[in-house]
Amino acid sequence: MFKRRRYAGAALAALLTAFTALAAAPAGARDDGGPPPAVHPGLRPHLAAHYDFEHPVADSPSREQDQGFSGTDIDLVNGGAQMRTADGAHRGSRTSVQVKQVNPDAAGNDDWKAGVYGPSGVPSLNAFNSVKGTTVMGWFKMTGQNPSPNTNTANPSDLFNAIGLAGVLSGDSDGHAVRALLELINVNGELRLVALGRRIDGASSQTFAASQDWRTLLPPDEWVFLAATFDFNTGAMALYRNGEPLDGFYALSGDPWDLAGPGPHRTSDTDPRGIKIGGSFPQDTREQNPCNCRMDDLMFLDHAVDGDLIRGQYRLVTTKE
């Protein structure tokens, strides 16, 4: 209870600070004279972590500063500061992050990816501890071959069966297992855009897969705004593209999240072991499911927000004033 009060207070403080800053500054102002990082006011109370890749940590350019209320800075793994790319996803953005497979012909740990990992959990991510809902959203742009050659097998023709986008790790994760993830993965023999969630550490995940061909949803060299929502209390999941819901289906029948008993239902009472972006194992112990792509304005929320807010966020940064 103390933890939840502490983070509810942090969320309220973040919201009050944001509105104070907006009142004090001219519309569209930022310290360097550019437009502010645009976040819909309805998202701010739930915005636990937010990365726009325009805020390197002071004296540590290979790390990115969290713009959410949790203060969870992440590492730009292997590529460091050169992963920041002058290719903003929308009119309020100047830079994004490039993630990629570096050497498709050999096993190693040199892929460009991002995230943070703590083997006993990341305390600053406590907002995702015993939570009823989560949302993962951001901008994505395919920039190379996807999926990538599988460097963990001896067969040079093997490809990874997934393309990692962004997600929150579970409380017992080795760097791969997740609590809430947006990715592309093989479902019934076909690669699909999915929301993949796990309510209980070590138990079954559930996958909600988009019906439409992923290559249509994520065409090469085009910025696309994606969101995945996870309602751990009801079992409902959803996917959105450019603010609009996507048709889809659940990969598993039955009750993989064990929701049959009395609620309310929450995730495990554990702090996530981190965040992974552009592939698994943010601690850089293994290459898995790299994405040859760029990402911008990644947001991790401690609530399954509704479609109106997701649409509002998309329109906020794409509609001309």
Side-chain angles (χ1 to χ4, degrees):
M1 183 64 71
F2 172 76
K3 288 181 177 179
R4 301 202 68 77
R5 285 191 187 130
R6 174 160 57 91
Y7 277 94
L12 178 59
L15 180 61
L16 292 174
T17 299
F19 281 123
T20 299
L22 286 172
R30 187 166 60 184
D31 290 345
D32 57 10
V39 178
H40 192 286
L43 298 180
R44 289 187 183 276
H46 303 292
L47 191 55
H50 175 203
Y51 308 101
D52 62 7
F53 304 102
E54 298 187 11
H55 293 84
V57 173
D59 301 321
S60 185
S62 64
R63 306 190 71 219
E64 180 68 18
Q65 188 179 89
D66 181 11
Q67 302 303 297
F69 67 74
S70 75
T72 307
D73 298 339
I74 58 172
D75 298 312
L76 304 184
V77 180
N78 291 316
Q82 61 183 316
M83 293 169 63
R84 294 188 186 89
T85 305
D87 181 18
H90 53 79
R91 62 184 177 84
S93 174
R94 298 170 303 182
T95 62
S96 56
V97 68
Q98 176 75 57
V99 293
K100 63 181 181 179
Q101 183 177 61
V102 173
N103 187 350
D105 299 321
N109 290 315
D110 54 3
D111 286 352
W112 286 13
K113 52 191 172 183
V116 62
Y117 183 79
S120 58
V122 177
S124 62
L125 292 175
N126 180 258
F128 300 104
N129 178 322
S130 189
V131 72
K132 291 171 65 176
T134 300
T135 299
V136 179
M137 67 173 73
W139 289 85
F140 303 90
K141 181 181 187 179
M142 301 290 104
T143 59
Q145 178 184 352
N146 287 298
S148 296
N150 189 342
T151 54
N152 295 322
T153 70
N155 187 343
S157 65
D158 280 351
L159 301 177
F160 284 108
N161 75 335
I163 304 166
L165 297 179
V168 178
L169 299 179
S170 62
D172 61 350
S173 180
D174 61 352
H176 182 65
V178 293
R179 189 161 287 172
L181 176 67
L182 183 60
E183 74 168 349
L184 296 108
I185 194 170
N186 190 302
V187 178
N188 300 329
E190 186 174 348
L191 198 67
R192 293 186 182 273
L193 174 67
V194 307
L196 189 153
R198 177 177 286 102
R199 188 174 78 85
I200 302 300
D201 290 351
S204 175
S205 63
Q206 174 63 291
T207 298
F208 181 78
S211 299
Q212 198 169 356
D213 191 307
W214 76 270
R215 290 158 294 195
T216 301
L217 297 174
L218 284 162
D221 301 315
E222 179 180 321
W223 279 111
V224 176
F225 181 64
L226 299 177
T229 62
F230 308 81
D231 188 328
F232 296 111
N233 185 43
T234 67
M237 303 164 71
L239 286 167
Y240 298 82
R241 180 186 187 271
N242 289 346
E244 299 302 324
L246 292 173
D247 290 334
F249 60 92
Y250 292 94
L252 296 180
S253 59
D255 186 18
W257 283 358
D258 192 19
L259 301 175
H265 302 288
R266 300 177 180 273
T267 62
S268 292
D269 186 16
T270 55
D271 293 338
R273 288 192 176 178
I275 287 173
K276 66 176 184 178
I277 296 167
S280 292
F281 303 100
Q283 70 272 43
D284 205 26
T285 56
R286 179 183 172 91
E287 294 179 347
Q288 189 76 35
N289 304 335
C291 184
N292 291 301
C293 57
R294 291 175 184 169
M295 305 183 188
D296 199 0
D297 268 328
L298 298 180
M299 301 182 182
F300 303 84
L301 299 100
D302 63 352
H303 185 74
V305 302
D306 62 31
D308 288 342
L309 282 176
I310 292 170
R311 188 179 305 110
Q313 175 61 30
Y314 173 72
R315 291 179 177 175
L316 182 68
V317 299
T318 58
T319 303
K320 292 184 179 180
E321 298 178 351

